[in-house]
Amino acid sequence: MAGDFEQLVELYKNIIEHYKTWTDYIFKPDLLIHFVEKSEGGYTNSETKIMKLASEQAGSHFSWLCLDVYGPLSDHELKNVKKAL
């Protein structure tokens, strides 16, 4: 899953750049990483830690991980999660 750490960092940088708002030039953005697809055997602690570290290295202030045990969240549910964070 996290075979190429640098490629993962670049992916997160592109995502941050794509959704950047004017406040993100002053404050670093927070990321919610939502694992939608179930992987066989689930995700290991190392894989989730690598995802978190890569997002922070890409420029996020903090990142939350929403594992695949919750299933895909609707747009409304994601807004509620954002409010809670």
Side-chain angles (χ1 to χ4, degrees):
M1 158 140 277
D4 191 355
F5 182 76
E6 293 301 320
Q7 187 178 12
L8 191 59
V9 171
E10 284 301 314
L11 173 70
Y12 288 141
K13 281 182 181 179
N14 290 338
I15 292 170
I16 290 171
E17 191 63 35
H18 184 267
Y19 291 102
K20 201 172 217 178
T21 62
W22 68 272
T23 58
D24 295 328
Y25 290 100
I26 301 169
F27 306 105
K28 290 183 176 182
D30 293 335
L31 291 182
L32 171 65
I33 301 168
H34 185 207
F35 296 93
V36 176
E37 301 210 9
K38 291 195 177 269
S39 67
E40 195 171 313
Y43 296 98
T44 65
N45 289 340
S46 299
E47 289 172 328
T48 56
K49 186 174 183 178
I50 287 171
M51 296 287 185
K52 189 171 177 68
L53 289 174
S55 68
E56 291 172 0
Q57 186 173 340
S60 72
H61 172 257
F62 193 80
S63 58
W64 289 272
L65 303 177
C66 184
L67 299 178
D68 61 346
V69 295
Y70 301 108
L73 299 177
S74 68
D75 289 342
H76 178 71
E77 291 171 322
L78 285 173
K79 285 180 184 177
N80 289 338
V81 169
K82 184 179 177 182
K83 287 179 187 176
L85 299 177

